[in-house]
Amino acid sequence: MNSHKPLITIAIDGYSSSGKSSMARQLAKNIGYRYIDSGAMYRAVALYAMRHGMILPDMSVDTNAIIEALPNIHIDFAVNGSSQTTLLNGEDVESDIRTMAVSECVSPVAAIPAVRHALVAMQQRMGVEKGIVMDGRDIGTTVFPDAEMKVFVTASPQTRAQRRVAELIEKGVAASFEEVLSNVINRDHIDETRSESPLRRADDAHLLDNSTMSIESQNQWLLDVYNNTIGHL
Ligand code: CDP
């Protein structure tokens, strides 16, 4: 696969439900790289907080309790054939972290600076050997600012909400378009306005608006960017 090509770091950032995880995963598979979904790590911390009563009924978060609990939260990924499973303290939480309940509280949890410091440090350790595709909100700006390839993905909020509803329905999770759209818009807002590493495009990131693109053409676009990047090293 990549035996004669230099190993690089690939950072894929963008808005919620922009399809960046699917394209990042597919690229990693095509080029034989490791794929890490950094959002799954924030979701796992949010799930832990939810289960331990650290999310209050009005959806505000008990910041101090979460910070104190951080040493007890261990996140790992298990590779299962072509799929990847998120482990929270050894438990497979892959489906539990994808629920609307977690989507509702993940962005406030991810805005806590101590949570970000802990997860960013873990993500940087995962990437020391390169040969990695990581997707998230701050990968090209904070986690791997020196990544050789950076991409920033966006699409209209309506398109993103439609895609997320279809994905949830496929998983058997009931969700209305209005509920998902308002969650997408709300998370965009929290992610863009938080003080610690807010969501923004790195100056050297390739921009992709995939609102009207098919999955095949966006995968091809990403592979072309990769080949182009490698060709210029
Ligand atoms: O739902 P979607 O796949 O778009 O989001 P995700 O990638 O699973 O991330 C869930 C949430 O985690 C985001 O809305 C952010 O609040 C947070 N996140 C972050 O702050 N930094 C990252 N690198 C990744 C996710």
Side-chain angles (χ1 to χ4, degrees):
M1 266 179 229
N2 259 292
S3 46
H4 55 288
K5 291 183 179 164
L7 287 179
I8 64 167
T9 302
I10 301 178
I12 304 197
D13 289 302
Y15 286 92
S16 64
S17 313
S18 57
K20 62 190 183 319
S21 299
S22 323
M23 61 194 280
R25 189 179 298 113
Q26 187 58 46
L27 176 68
K29 198 173 162 199
N30 287 342
I31 64 176
Y33 273 28
R34 189 159 175 231
Y35 165 65
I36 298 290
D37 171 1
S38 70
M41 300 168 72
Y42 289 95
R43 286 174 175 274
V45 175
L47 178 67
Y48 183 98
M50 234 171 77
R51 286 178 172 177
H52 291 80
M54 299 167 186
I55 308 293
L56 308 177
D58 65 355
M59 280 296 159
S60 60
V61 297
D62 185 342
T63 303
N64 289 335
I66 295 175
I67 294 172
E68 268 176 39
L70 280 174
N72 306 324
I73 304 178
H74 301 286
I75 301 164
D76 275 306
F77 292 104
V79 181
N80 222 329
S82 64
S83 71
Q84 189 176 275
T85 296
T86 309
L87 302 177
L88 170 60
N89 292 333
E91 176 194 346
D92 177 350
V93 291
E94 188 55 41
S95 53
D96 289 5
I97 60 170
R98 308 289 168 191
T99 59
M100 279 306 288
V102 170
S103 296
E104 294 292 349
C105 66
V106 61
S107 292
V109 170
I112 301 172
V115 169
R116 303 205 69 78
H117 294 163
L119 295 195
V120 167
M122 268 175 81
Q123 290 152 6
Q124 289 173 333
R125 283 197 294 275
M126 291 171 171
V128 280
E129 288 174 9
K130 297 187 177 260
I132 193 168
V133 182
M134 191 176 288
D135 84 301
R137 301 289 189 287
D138 60 340
I139 311 304
T141 52
T142 303
V143 180
F144 301 129
D146 298 328
E148 292 84 351
M149 172 173 159
K150 298 181 187 178
V151 170
F152 191 86
V153 192
T154 186
S156 72
Q158 284 72 14
T159 306
R160 292 186 280 127
Q162 263 155 13
R163 288 178 185 157
R164 182 48 54 99
V165 169
E167 198 178 285
L168 288 168
I169 289 173
E170 203 169 294
K171 288 181 182 159
V173 179
S176 75
F177 175 76
E178 288 69 28
E179 179 190 15
V180 172
L181 179 62
S182 92
N183 176 251
V184 159
I185 292 173
N186 191 34
R187 279 201 285 142
D188 288 353
H189 177 72
I190 300 175
D191 293 348
E192 284 178 313
T193 56
R194 68 179 174 228
S195 59
E196 186 78 22
S197 55
L199 168 67
R200 71 167 182 85
R201 175 190 172 190
D203 296 335
D204 51 351
H206 299 267
L207 180 65
L208 174 68
D209 181 334
N210 65 7
S211 299
T212 60
M213 254 175 147
S214 68
I215 291 177
E216 293 71 26
S217 53
Q218 75 176 21
N219 286 342
Q220 188 57 50
W221 180 90
L222 196 60
L223 196 56
D224 291 345
V225 173
Y226 165 76
N227 283 324
N228 205 17
T229 305
I230 286 288
H232 285 89
L233 286 179

